[in-house]
Amino acid sequence: NAGKLGQKLGYAVYVVGGFVRDVLLKHPNTDVDLVVEGDGIAFAAAMTREMGGRYKAHPKFKTAVVVLPSGQRVDVATARLEYYEYPAALPTVELSSIKMDLYRRDFTVNALAVHLSPDRYGELVDFFGAQRDIKDRVLRVLHSLSFVEDPTRIVRAIRFSERFGFRIGGQTDRLIKNAVRHSFFHRLSGSRVFHELQLILEEKTPLACLRRMHDYKLLAAIHPLLALTPPRETVLMEVENVINWYRLLYIEPQPQAWLVYFLALCSGMDAEQFAVVGKRLNFSKRTAGDIATLRMRIRETAQGLFNWEYHKGPLSELYFLMEPLPVEGALFLMARNPREPLQKYVSLYLTTLRGKRLEITGNDLKGIGIAPGPDYTSILRRVRGSVIDGHAPCRAEQ
Ligand code: CTP
């Protein structure tokens, strides 16, 4: 046990943050964060010596990530003893390092710790009234400079408040509004904003979070082009329906939900406007290129589908139209075209056609004497088309 190991090294060890919060809230959480009063990196090294696995140290931050043989990830941080100089000749005060570590965190509910040291094992450490806040279902910052220190916490406040059904406390709400008024958000790097936005879009109820961001004028603060307009809200609502529908099908791999929501948040933008947003969010060349290409492919596929429907093409044509489009694009197409036949056809592709596998391969063609060559692709394509149109058996039907 980590506490015993800490004792051997002379360190107190705590499990902290989201893990403790989620235990109290009975929410699943597998991310374990430890704080060590001592040398976190030495502790991580000792942990892997004792339990196996590996670790990676970040000496600059005195932190380490341990991956145990089970695959369990454990983040280890170091709490240092800090000395506070008080003015007016008061003596320097030594504060318990775990208290300082917790005080630097974002919300009271995230500033809980549990002792792992054998002599105090399981004792809850609650300096800031977190248990009361959990009982009252309220999210509160620990001090009034929290959002100045880190404006991404504004978005985190919304994310946690929606996830747990907590209200944002009165003082915290005023501090958020003040932070937005003073444009703290403009100081934030694009990558950090994008990361927070991605986390929001991976939540169970992204639209509710986006509405709250809109109410605090945060989306426009990130970039005016990202404002939550009524048509966008409609698309986002449909995305939520489609994503929930698709999740229930349990088709692997699951889509990157954030991407489908993000496409919806950028709906109505032309290529130039999208490039501006990508710049603000500091997209890498690759991300910018990938999403721009996806947007273009979605448009082309929609066009293709309308044509296909108009001339009543065979199902195989639907299959070949949809095949190159990543699933995120297909889901977006469904959300973008609700109550139109197109939605039905994309869903037919996703649930049925896509799963049809061919029993024959290039080797079978070779077996019947067709010489290997570029023809293989086109022959296999024709056979696949024929299978889809119902002229030959396929695995999914057997
Ligand atoms: N933290 C913070 N300010 C931030 C980000 C994180 O104070 N901008 C603190 C929080 O106290 C949090 C801890 O660092 O508990 C770990 O961060 P993270 O893993 O993002 O938080 P979780 O609460 O575990 O969030 P999630 O449940 O979404 O993983």
Side-chain angles (χ1 to χ4, degrees), residues 320-360:
F320 291 120
L321 262 171
M322 290 301 302
E323 196 194 14
L325 190 67
V327 64
E328 289 82 6
L331 294 173
F332 178 73
L333 262 181
M334 286 181 66
R336 194 75 182 78
N337 300 278
R339 289 166 293 282
E340 287 197 44
L342 191 145
Q343 189 184 56
K344 199 175 75 206
Y345 291 121
V346 176
S347 113
L348 176 73
Y349 166 78
L350 286 174
T351 56
T352 311
L353 302 184
R354 195 173 51 151
K356 298 213 172 194
R357 295 266 172 278
L358 275 186
E359 286 288 1
I360 59 163

Side-chain angles (χ1 to χ4, degrees), residues 225-236:
L225 281 169
L226 286 173
L228 194 62
T229 58
R232 265 186 202 154
E233 225 176 313
T234 310
V235 183
L236 284 159

Side-chain angles (χ1 to χ4, degrees), residues 245-255 327 347 349-352 354-355:
W245 163 79
Y246 193 76
R247 277 192 177 134
L248 288 177
L249 297 174
Y250 294 104
I251 301 176
E252 293 295 333
Q254 283 288 315
V327 64
S347 113
Y349 166 78
L350 286 174
T351 56
T352 311
R354 195 173 51 151

Side-chain angles (χ1 to χ4, degrees), residues 114-329:
V114 172
H115 273 283
L116 293 183
S117 311
D119 48 338
R120 303 186 67 178
Y121 189 82
E123 242 177 69
L124 190 65
V125 180
D126 180 4
F127 293 113
F128 312 107
Q131 291 172 93
R132 191 193 50 220
D133 289 346
I134 287 179
K135 195 169 137 279
D136 297 344
R137 308 193 80 73
V138 60
L139 207 66
R140 284 194 304 119
V141 282
L142 292 163
H143 54 80
S144 58
L145 292 179
S146 194
F147 297 126
V148 182
E149 267 169 21
D150 182 355
T152 61
R153 289 175 172 169
I154 303 173
V155 186
R156 289 172 64 88
I158 292 170
R159 185 155 62 87
F160 291 131
S161 126
E162 280 300 323
R163 187 197 295 172
F164 300 124
F166 280 23
R167 70 188 165 80
I168 293 179
Q171 169 73 351
T172 302
D173 176 72
R174 278 189 290 281
L175 290 169
I176 293 180
K177 287 178 178 146
N178 195 40
V180 177
R181 227 183 350 263
H182 287 92
S183 311
F184 290 171
F185 234 72
H186 291 97
R187 285 203 331 247
L188 271 181
S189 76
S191 334
R192 294 199 67 201
V193 176
F194 180 47
H195 179 65
E196 289 303 325
L197 199 55
Q198 261 179 311
L199 291 177
I200 284 272
L201 301 182
E202 282 293 347
E203 287 288 321
K204 282 220 174 72
T205 55
L207 180 54
C209 295
L210 289 173
R211 283 192 178 124
R212 301 276 297 278
M213 287 182 74
H214 175 77
D215 292 343
Y216 279 122
K217 302 189 173 57
L218 274 178
L219 286 170
I222 297 173
H223 197 285
L225 281 169
L226 286 173
L228 194 62
T229 58
R232 265 186 202 154
E233 225 176 313
T234 310
V235 183
L236 284 159
M237 227 144 42
E238 293 296 339
V239 167
E240 204 151 282
N241 291 336
V242 170
I243 292 271
N244 289 335
W245 163 79
Y246 193 76
R247 277 192 177 134
L248 288 177
L249 297 174
Y250 294 104
I251 301 176
E252 293 295 333
Q254 283 288 315
Q256 302 180 72
W258 74 265
L259 181 53
V260 192
Y261 282 107
F262 187 70
L263 289 167
L265 192 58
C266 295
S267 56
M269 285 180 201
D270 62 25
E272 215 169 292
Q273 292 170 320
F274 178 75
V276 170
V277 168
K279 262 220 173 82
R280 166 63 184 114
L281 298 177
N282 206 13
F283 281 172
S284 64
K285 251 204 178 111
R286 182 161 167 196
T287 305
D290 284 354
I291 306 183
T293 309
L294 181 57
R295 279 166 46 96
M296 203 171 66
R297 283 233 208 117
I298 289 170
R299 244 193 333 272
E300 288 165 1
T301 310
Q303 197 54 54
L305 287 173
F306 282 122
N307 289 340
W308 170 81
E309 205 213 336
Y310 182 74
H311 76 249
K312 298 190 170 43
L315 282 183
S316 54
E317 221 175 290
L318 170 66
Y319 178 91
F320 291 120
L321 262 171
M322 290 301 302
E323 196 194 14
L325 190 67
V327 64
E328 289 82 6

